[in-house]
Amino acid sequence: PRPLPFLDMELELSLGDLPTPVKANTMPAPATCQGEDHDDLALGLRVTATERAGQENQRTSIETAEGEDSDEACPELPVRASPFRQASAQTASANSRGFDVNAAVPVDGRASTARSLSPPSMHMEVPVTQGVDEEASEDEDNGGARVRKKLRLSKEQSAFLEGSFKEHSTLTLEQKSCLANRLSLRPRQVEVWFQNRRARTKLKQMEADCERLKRCCDALARENRKLQREVAELRASRAPYPLYNLNHHLPGFGAALPSCSSCDATTRSTVSTVSSPGPSPMSTLFPGRPHFGPFTVTHPVPPLRRQPSATL
DNA sequence: TCGGTCAACGAGCCAT
DNA sequence: ATGGCTCGTTGACCGA
């Protein structure tokens, strides 16, 4: 698997010490992912004061239903000592449907996070334990009634996922776990994000294709109108060699096609056929009909004239 | 209030 | 059987 583009992201990742008095990660963030050495990279996901407002009402939920996002899921990643670490199962009370999907759960169990210690003008810590979820137990508690709470990923989380998506639009289990650990999301949330992201990409591509086809169609329509005009002009000018409906002159076909009042038996007889060396597209398309291959006009066709009595 | 966005979900399909 | 995917949809949230 390819390495995740962690270091390429222009995120507010803290390298070493954070400028704020309180750091989300009191330990360095997961040092490695898939063998990469990011020892002093601390994933300090932060939001500004304005962003904080939206995050403020994000309350915690707990992840227990999915055991996959334990730290063991990404063995290369050291256990994180983050205030946003997911709460234990006994504190679980919320999940993505019915309870707060978004809230962070500090390790110490308090509802608010360390961000409150920072001045408003400074970057605030993001409660990144948004993924914590406990679907099964809560469903039982709710009697099955599910009230979904909207999760909004932070800009940093989204940017991180975007960067990863650019590297690979699908995830391996390992990558999923690593991302989930990095962003303090549930692997399921990472998975869903990638699914939705692929859908958005596809939709955009379809829109682009549709637009291109529309332009192509418009161009063809213009070309068609132009050719129609040319045909009309040629007919009007009574050119010495007018355009004929050659369908009439195809043996085996003419009889089945609408008659052309412009042609009569004489003009039709001016068209002869040459033998075809093998099966042609025509005979393939119309196997039941006789087909004589390419035809040629053996002598000049008389000028177009009306013959009301001409029928096939 | 309404429409857009997007996380989340369920159904169905497919590969292993 | 299982897991991951796509597709269509739902519902919370947000800005006009």
Side-chain angles (χ1 to χ4, degrees):
Chain A
R2 287 172 294 172
L4 296 171
F6 295 130
L7 295 181
D8 295 332
M9 304 290 301
E10 291 189 1
L11 299 177
E12 290 195 16
L13 302 176
S14 10
L15 300 171
D17 292 336
L18 287 170
T20 52
V22 176
K23 296 197 291 184
N25 299 319
T26 57
M27 282 177 57
T32 63
C33 190
Q34 294 156 2
E36 288 199 6
D37 187 8
H38 306 154
D39 270 333
D40 41 4
L41 171 64
L43 184 62
L45 292 176
R46 295 170 297 170
V47 292
T48 61
T50 54
E51 290 168 324
R52 176 184 164 191
Q55 302 284 354
E56 279 286 20
N57 39 5
Q58 295 179 351
R59 290 291 162 259
T60 313
S61 54
I62 308 302
E63 162 74 37
T64 55
E66 296 188 31
E68 53 178 330
D69 52 342
S70 63
D71 287 313
E72 290 77 14
C74 190
E76 310 91 353
L77 297 175
V79 175
R80 303 203 302 170
S82 162
F84 302 120
R85 284 191 54 74
Q86 297 160 5
S88 62
Q90 50 267 43
T91 61
S93 62
N95 79 354
S96 60
R97 327 169 195 168
F99 343 67
D100 235 350
V101 204
N102 301 331
V105 176
V107 172
D108 62 8
R110 284 176 296 184
S112 63
T113 68
R115 68 187 184 280
S116 60
L117 297 177
S118 298
S121 61
M122 302 185 70
H123 286 117
M124 299 302 177
E125 300 292 345
V126 175
V128 285
T129 326
Q130 306 182 347
V132 271
D133 191 348
E134 187 180 301
E135 303 173 41
S137 64
E138 196 50 45
D139 283 347
E140 293 163 5
D141 295 345
N142 262 359
R146 295 185 161 195
V147 181
R148 197 156 57 185
K149 195 74 166 150
K150 178 73 172 180
L151 161 71
R152 300 294 299 195
L153 296 177
S154 69
K155 288 178 181 176
E156 288 78 6
Q157 285 172 314
S158 295
F160 210 93
L161 289 166
E162 279 290 344
S164 183
F165 184 82
K166 283 176 185 167
E167 292 287 317
H168 37 71
S169 60
T170 56
L171 288 173
T172 65
L173 270 177
E174 191 179 26
Q175 289 167 340
K176 191 201 301 183
S177 294
C178 283
L179 274 175
N181 273 296
R182 287 270 179 170
L183 300 174
S184 294
L185 293 172
R186 287 179 294 122
R188 169 66 181 160
Q189 288 178 299
V190 174
E191 178 183 313
V192 165
W193 187 91
F194 269 75
Q195 287 170 1
N196 287 323
R197 185 64 178 77
R198 283 191 294 270
R200 285 194 290 271
T201 299
K202 186 175 183 179
L203 184 64
K204 274 193 171 185
Q205 184 60 50
M206 284 175 62
E207 287 173 355
D209 290 346
C210 194
E211 190 60 32
R212 196 164 52 246
L213 283 173
K214 187 171 175 294
R215 285 197 299 271
C216 184
C217 186
D218 290 343
L220 284 173
R222 282 194 301 273
E223 177 72 9
N224 187 40
R225 284 193 294 271
K226 178 186 168 192
L227 291 173
Q228 299 268 13
R229 278 197 302 272
E230 288 180 10
V231 168
E233 287 167 6
L234 285 171
R235 286 218 164 109
S237 67
R238 289 181 167 263
Y241 297 98
L243 297 173
Y244 282 87
N245 182 351
L246 293 180
N247 282 330
H248 288 191
H249 311 301
L250 286 172
F253 283 86
L257 293 170
S259 64
C260 174
S261 60
S262 305
C263 306
D264 59 13
T266 306
T267 58
R268 285 196 294 275
S269 69
T270 62
V271 177
S272 65
T273 63
V274 295
S275 63
S276 175
S280 70
M282 281 295 195
S283 59
T284 303
L285 285 172
F286 305 96
R289 295 178 183 272
H291 180 60
F292 300 93
F295 57 87
T296 57
V297 177
T298 53
H299 31 266
V301 190
L304 181 67
R305 66 181 184 278
R306 292 227 170 255
Q307 287 268 337
S309 59
T311 56
L312 289 175

